[in-house]
Amino acid sequence: MPDWSGSFDEQGTPVLPICVSIPHSPSTDLTAIIDTGFTGFLCLPLAAITLFRSQIEGYQPVRFADGSNSVLLEVRATIVINSEHVTGIAVIEPDGKEVLIGMEFLKAARRGLIVLPSKAVVMLPAD
């Protein structure tokens, strides 16, 4: 498995280009923030879910980096990067504005994370 490469956005946040597919809906290319404070797989803002034609499957309690808790709607999603498929549960953030991938994604993908801002390096090596 080759390493995955990300980049930094305008605010200096590590990001990764991903392709997301949800059952019964076409796949969509998105840029996701790599958020190690998010314990979940994928968090989509409600505005992004309008790109998909899918049924919400349930709800899931989540804990955010600031220690706050919430209950969010969920749907099964597959993230594709360099032809590799990683499937998990995406949560829908009603007030969110960003796409986040979290620690559950890194575990499911069996990837580490190397972030070197001074060298503009964001790398997700295979475990």
Side-chain angles (χ1 to χ4, degrees):
M1 287 192 301
D3 294 343
W4 296 339
S5 296
S7 61
F8 293 93
D9 66 10
E10 304 80 38
Q11 289 78 35
T13 303
V15 295
L16 184 67
I18 62 174
C19 181
V20 177
S21 64
I22 291 176
H24 314 296
S25 193
S27 59
T28 301
D29 293 324
L30 300 168
T31 299
I33 293 173
I34 304 167
D35 184 351
T36 59
F38 171 49
T39 59
F41 179 78
L42 172 67
C43 184
L44 296 168
L46 186 58
I49 201 67
T50 61
L51 300 171
F52 303 102
R53 290 181 230 113
S54 182
Q55 298 284 328
I56 299 301
E57 296 179 10
Y59 60 91
Q60 181 179 94
V62 295
R63 181 178 194 94
F64 294 102
D66 65 0
S68 65
N69 295 305
S70 186
V71 176
L72 303 176
L73 299 174
E74 65 180 23
V75 64
R76 180 160 298 283
T78 299
I79 295 175
V80 181
I81 302 170
N82 295 346
S83 301
E84 294 180 48
H85 294 66
V86 185
T87 301
I89 299 296
V91 293
I92 312 305
E93 171 59 59
D95 299 322
K97 303 208 182 337
E98 304 160 324
V99 175
L100 306 176
I101 52 176
M103 293 305 295
E104 193 60 37
F105 169 77
L106 293 176
K107 289 178 195 172
R110 299 183 54 109
R111 296 284 169 162
L113 177 61
I114 299 170
V115 179
L116 301 170
S118 63
K119 297 185 184 205
V121 172
V122 176
M123 190 169 64
L124 289 90
D127 187 3

